[in-house]
Every structure is written in structure tokens, then in C-alpha cells.
Amino acid sequence: MTMLTDSDTVKHTRRRVKRDSRRKARVPNQHLEVPYIQRNIRPYELLTEANLDKIEAATDQILSEIGIEFRDDPVTVELFREAGGHVTKLAGETWNIKFEPGLIQKLVSTAPETFTQHARNPANSVVIGGDTTVFAPSYGSPFVMDMDKGRRYGTISDFENFIKLAQSSPWLHHSGGTICEPTDLPVNKRHLDMVYAHIRYSDRPFLGSITAPERAADSIQMCRILFGEEFVNNHCVIMGNFNSTSPLVWDGVSTMGIRTYAEAGQASIHLPFLMGGAVCPVTIPGAIAQNLAETLVGCALTQLVRPGTPTVMGSFITSMSMRSGSPTFGTPEPALGSLVMGQMSRRFKLPLRCAGNFSTSKVADAQATGQGVMSMLSAVQSGANFILHSAGFLDGLLSMSYEKFVMDTDLCGALHAYLNGLTVDEDSLGVESLRVGGPGEHLFGTPHTMSHYETAYWDSSLNDDAPYETWHENGAEDALSRANRQWKQTLAEYQAPPLDETINQALLDFMAERKASMPDSWF
């Protein structure tokens, strides 16, 4: 192994600084930076209409013959009873509701096909639905990890760091939600600090709390302070991301939270968490049929509360290791499920959230990259409109990685170029560039090359595409080391977007009042 002297290290550092300065001076990819992606490639249509009909018929069978169980929320049960659901009282505060074929489809028909989630910076508002795609960071990990400190429980400082990294990336469009769990804060109060962090350190849209209806209400109230009461009454400014309890259960915490968001006219995502062979059929068509049943019922609830409220179908289909019983991520069969869910969302004219950059790898290695690309490509090719878990996901969603976050946002940049598609016209065909020198002559100096060289290709800020000798002379850094250096540099250079001090103080006062109203709870 070649040993580097101190002199070598200084030289390599100088070269790296010069290289980074040149990259920064080029300001690569500015032509692609947008508040959200307007897709210019068609989504992949995997199944025929006849096969989609079969899946929808199976969904109707599930809804009409097996039904959905509802727990601890009689208000929701009564709403579905009045809408035509067949209610059977079970033990305690539990009900089974069966729905005639076509009823749920009719109920969701009042939901908008597209909607805008407004950001405090209007330039960063996103359109969700139709031909648009929005990338958001990963969500929900209790642990964080990096090359320096290893794997550890997440804190509010980590939470803020990931918001800053997301805000600094031109390839993400949304601040996300529970990017990691800030386990150093009380469970019943941490939602206040999380929502405040999104508001304070980002000027993009964000997700609110969903762990209790009163926490959902707090999230919405903080948006009223930020945007103004009247604006929130008439516009979507926040979304909740709700999980059903598969198989075929909606619990009261989730349904009350969905109703809280819908009553305020705010959007919600309705997401089963399906593990094949454990809580759904092991076969993907069966998983899709069950997924549809659970998510469409969640979407229908929003329309019973407030017709026309934005709502998002969700799909989270995973495979499982049949040897160990552990969930697996980034495998090909669930990727096919995402493609079909895209077709179903277009059939029902509803926005879709599905897939993301998934991996069960414990570090940001080749396994993580391979699984992540498999899953992420299925999401964008399905036509998904809101892609949570676009950056940072490791360890089967248990860990949020600083290095992988940077590597994943770089992939998001490449996907911007991929989804931009191709324009075929006289200029892009470039025949004149061949005419300049004729056969056997290079095209480096032609007017066509000179007019396009800055924007023709996406330019990674992380990859090293230099020859081996140059790479070695510059320190022989691998991608993980470059990512480690990049996230630290990004945080060092981060500047918070301006926030009106009157609004900031009103938010802090609201948080202080709410925290003083209850004792700390760690459960």
C-alpha cells in the first residue's frame, strides 16, 4: 500500500480545493433546478386494462366480503354507515364495515386529481398529481449514522441537520416530515419542535404530525400562525402521512388524525405497510388488491369529512426473507407492484405516493446503491407524484445516514435529467455539427457543441469521473468519503432562509404554551 507523506497530503488537499472551486464556479445543472418535476417521459404501463380490472374486482371482493376493521373511532364508523357501509359491531370499540362493489370508488371521486401544497416561499410550492413528481427525504428512522460516530439514536440536532441538508439540495423539493426521531425530546412534545424546525430551517413544504389527533391539530395551528388563518382555510399548506394497520385495519389514532387534517382542508396520505407473506398475500397482484382496499378507504374518509379535500393514495409493498422472516427492501417484485399502483392511481384519478430509495443494507455500500436504484426507478417510472424516502434510507428504515443522504440526493439530480426526457427538433438532431468538419473530424469546437456543452449532460457534484491516475493523485477518495466531506461542508455553509421575526416569536410562544400545558411523557 502506498503511504502518503504530510507533503503529499497538503498537495492532495490543494488539488481537491481547486477541483471543488472549479465545480462551484461552473454552477452545474442550473438548467434543471425546479420546485418540482414536470415529467416529460410517459409512465410505464405494465398491465393491460383487463388485468387491472381483475385486480380492482379482487379489491371489491375484499371490501364487500371481508371488510375493513375500524378501532376506537365511532365518529368515523358513523360516517361510513351514513355513506352506505354495512357496519357490524365487534368486541369493545371495534367494528367491521363492508362496502358494496363500487361504493368506495364513488366516494373518492370528489377528490382532486392534482393540488398545490403551498410553501412559505411561494417559489417553492409544489403541485402534487398529474404529470408531476416531488422528491422528499426519508421518514421515521429512530437511528442516525455517519462515518465518524457510527449508529446512534437520533436527536433534535440531527433532525435539524437533515432539514438543512434537504433545504440545501436543488434535487429535493419537499422538507419531509419525521426525518428522524428526535429521541432526546419528550414523545408528547417533540412534534412541536419538529414542525418548528421545518418552518425555521426550510422554506419548502413539509409534513405535519400524525401520532395523535391533538398533535395533528397543533401542526395545523402552527401553519395558521405561519400562513395566516384565512390562507390556511382556503389552501393546502401541510400534509399528514397516515398508516393503516395491515391487514385491513384502520385504528382510531390514524382515522381521527385523517379527520383532523380533512376538517381543516389539509391533505393526507394513506399508506398500508405491506410485507408479503406476513400481512398481505405473498404474491404481488394480491398485495396490490389489498393495498388498494386499505388506501382507498383512507382516501374516502377524507371526502366524507370535507368533499374536495386533497388526498393521496399510498403504496408501500415490501418483500420478505422467507428464511428469516425479515422484511427486504429494494427487491424486484415490489418494484413491479409500484408500476401497477401507478396505473391504478391514474385509473382513480388520484395522486400517488409510492416506493423511494429503499435498502436493507447497514451501510452506504454497493448493496444500498443497487437496492435503492431498483426501488427509486420503479417509483419514477410508475408516475408516482410524491416520493417520500428519496434520500437517507438505510437499515430497512431503521437508520438515517448522513452519507447516504448526500449520495441519494445526487441520484435525485440524475433523475431530474432522466425525467426531463428528450426534445427532438432540428437543433437537437445536430446534423449541422457533423457538416462543419465532415467525416473523421472531432466536434469539440463546433458552434453546436459550444452552445450546448454546459447544459447537455447532468453533472454530478459527488462522482469522480477522472482517470485513475488523476483520482489517485487527488487522494484516492471513494464515494463514501466524498459524501462524508460533502455533508459536513454543506452544513458549514448553510444559511437559514429568512423568517419574519413576529411570526417566529408567535410560533415560539405557541410552543411554550402547549408544552407548559402538559407534563413530559416518554411513552
Side-chain angles (χ1 to χ4, degrees):
M1 184 176 72
T2 303
M3 300 297 293
L4 297 180
T5 65
D6 290 343
S7 176
D8 290 331
T9 302
V10 171
K11 290 178 183 177
H12 295 156
T13 301
R14 286 174 178 167
R15 290 192 189 104
R16 189 176 64 220
V17 169
K18 288 180 181 178
R19 182 184 69 236
D20 291 345
S21 298
R22 288 195 299 270
R23 281 180 174 171
K24 199 166 187 180
R26 287 202 305 267
V27 196
N29 308 311
Q30 289 294 311
H31 63 296
L32 291 175
E33 293 182 24
V34 290
Y36 55 90
I37 296 172
Q38 187 74 48
R39 292 193 309 272
N40 292 316
I41 66 172
R42 289 192 294 271
Y44 194 86
E45 303 286 341
L46 180 67
L47 295 185
T48 64
E49 287 298 312
N51 281 325
L52 295 178
D53 288 341
K54 292 177 185 178
I55 292 176
E56 187 174 350
T59 297
D60 275 333
Q61 273 188 289
I62 293 168
L63 291 171
S64 63
E65 299 173 16
I66 302 171
I68 302 292
E69 188 173 296
F70 292 84
R71 299 175 182 172
D72 302 317
D73 185 4
V75 174
T76 288
V77 172
E78 195 56 34
L79 286 170
F80 278 119
R81 186 199 306 273
E82 293 173 358
H86 302 295
V87 179
T88 301
K89 183 75 161 64
L90 305 176
E93 290 291 287
T94 306
W95 299 262
N96 178 276
I97 305 181
K98 294 183 174 71
F99 304 92
E100 293 294 330
L103 175 58
I104 290 296
Q105 292 90 325
K106 179 181 177 182
L107 292 178
V108 301
S109 65
T110 57
E113 191 170 357
T114 66
F115 65 94
T116 298
Q117 184 185 358
H118 293 268
R120 71 177 178 92
N121 177 356
N124 290 333
S125 296
V126 296
V127 174
I128 299 175
D131 291 328
T132 70
T133 294
V134 172
F135 291 152
S138 193
Y139 182 107
S141 299
F143 299 101
V144 300
M145 61 170 64
D146 61 55
M147 289 177 64
D148 305 300
K149 299 179 182 177
R151 186 175 187 258
R152 60 197 184 278
Y153 280 105
T155 65
I156 190 61
S157 177
D158 292 307
F159 187 92
E160 293 169 352
N161 281 345
F162 281 115
I163 291 175
K164 294 173 184 178
L165 290 174
Q167 170 73 11
S168 300
S169 172
W171 311 127
L172 297 177
H173 316 107
H174 200 278
S175 195
T178 307
I179 299 186
C180 67
E181 280 287 350
T183 59
D184 54 337
L185 299 178
V187 170
N188 62 331
K189 298 178 181 180
R190 64 180 60 158
H191 66 286
L192 298 164
D193 296 272
M194 289 192 286
V195 171
Y196 176 74
H198 282 296
I199 293 172
R200 181 68 185 88
Y201 299 112
S202 173
D203 59 2
R204 292 172 172 173
F206 56 90
L207 301 173
S209 180
I210 49 85
T211 52
E214 62 272 17
R215 297 170 197 167
D218 284 343
S219 302
I220 296 166
Q221 184 58 32
M222 291 177 76
C223 286
R224 292 191 177 106
I225 295 170
L226 176 63
F227 289 94
E229 186 98 21
E230 184 177 354
F231 192 87
V232 173
N233 287 343
N234 295 290
H235 301 86
C236 174
V237 299
I238 192 170
M239 294 198 297
N241 182 68
F242 293 93
N243 286 108
S244 56
T245 305
S246 304
L248 305 177
V249 175
W250 275 103
D251 68 71
V253 170
S254 291
T255 55
M256 286 187 283
I258 291 168
R259 289 194 288 106
T260 300
Y261 276 86
E263 286 162 4
Q266 302 306 304
S268 53
I269 304 163
H270 311 93
L271 191 76
F273 192 141
L274 303 183
M275 291 184 289
V279 297
C280 72
V282 70
T283 47
I284 296 300
I288 295 168
Q290 179 184 328
N291 192 111
L292 278 172
E294 294 183 24
T295 189
L296 287 174
V297 166
C299 292
L301 176 56
T302 68
Q303 301 309 294
L304 294 179
V305 173
R306 184 166 168 170
T309 297
T311 187
V312 180
M313 289 174 58
S315 173
F316 198 100
I317 299 172
T318 68
S319 51
M320 189 174 71
S321 170
M322 304 311 288
R323 291 188 296 273
S324 68
S326 299
T328 51
F329 292 94
T331 52
E333 294 84 5
L336 295 173
S338 292
L339 296 178
V340 177
M341 281 303 300
Q343 292 182 270
M344 285 299 186
S345 71
R346 292 185 288 279
R347 171 173 278 212
F348 295 118
K349 294 181 168 54
L350 290 171
L352 174 68
R353 179 217 143 173
C354 79
N357 197 312
F358 296 163
S359 177
T360 49
S361 182
K362 312 309 177 286
V363 293
D365 58 4
Q367 177 185 335
T369 300
Q371 291 176 330
V373 170
M374 169 70 76
S375 183
M376 196 69 173
L377 277 177
S378 75
V380 299
Q381 290 176 333
S382 77
N385 306 109
F386 185 78
I387 303 180
L388 203 59
H389 304 306
S390 293
F393 185 120
L394 265 187
D395 192 18
L397 190 52
L398 290 176
S399 299
M400 188 75 170
S401 163
Y402 279 83
E403 284 81 24
K404 189 167 185 289
F405 192 96
V406 170
M407 296 165 79
D408 290 347
T409 55
D410 202 58
L411 174 62
C412 287
L415 291 173
H416 275 70
Y418 182 76
L419 293 172
N420 201 38
L422 295 174
T423 299
V424 180
D425 56 20
E426 183 177 353
D427 180 58
S428 67
L429 289 170
V431 174
E432 289 305 312
S433 67
L434 292 168
R435 199 189 309 277
V436 171
E441 295 297 324
H442 69 71
L443 279 66
F444 289 129
T446 65
H448 186 267
T449 298
M450 297 305 294
S451 65
H452 288 282
Y453 80 95
E454 288 187 309
T455 59
Y457 305 121
W458 171 75
D459 188 8
S460 170
S461 64
L462 186 64
N463 290 350
D464 189 311
D465 299 314
Y468 179 90
E469 291 77 12
T470 305
W471 168 76
H472 191 270
E473 288 177 7
N474 285 334
E477 282 188 317
D478 59 16
L480 198 60
S481 299
R482 292 193 296 272
N484 177 267
R485 178 165 47 81
Q486 190 173 107
W487 72 256
K488 292 174 181 176
Q489 181 180 344
T490 300
L491 290 180
E493 296 174 351
Y494 167 83
Q495 293 184 350
L499 177 65
D500 181 272
E501 186 49 42
T502 302
I503 292 174
N504 185 50
Q505 191 58 53
L507 288 166
L508 294 173
D509 291 345
F510 174 80
M511 293 165 62
E513 180 180 348
R514 290 292 293 130
K515 289 180 179 181
S517 71
M518 61 188 121
D520 290 353
S521 172
W522 295 93
F523 302 98

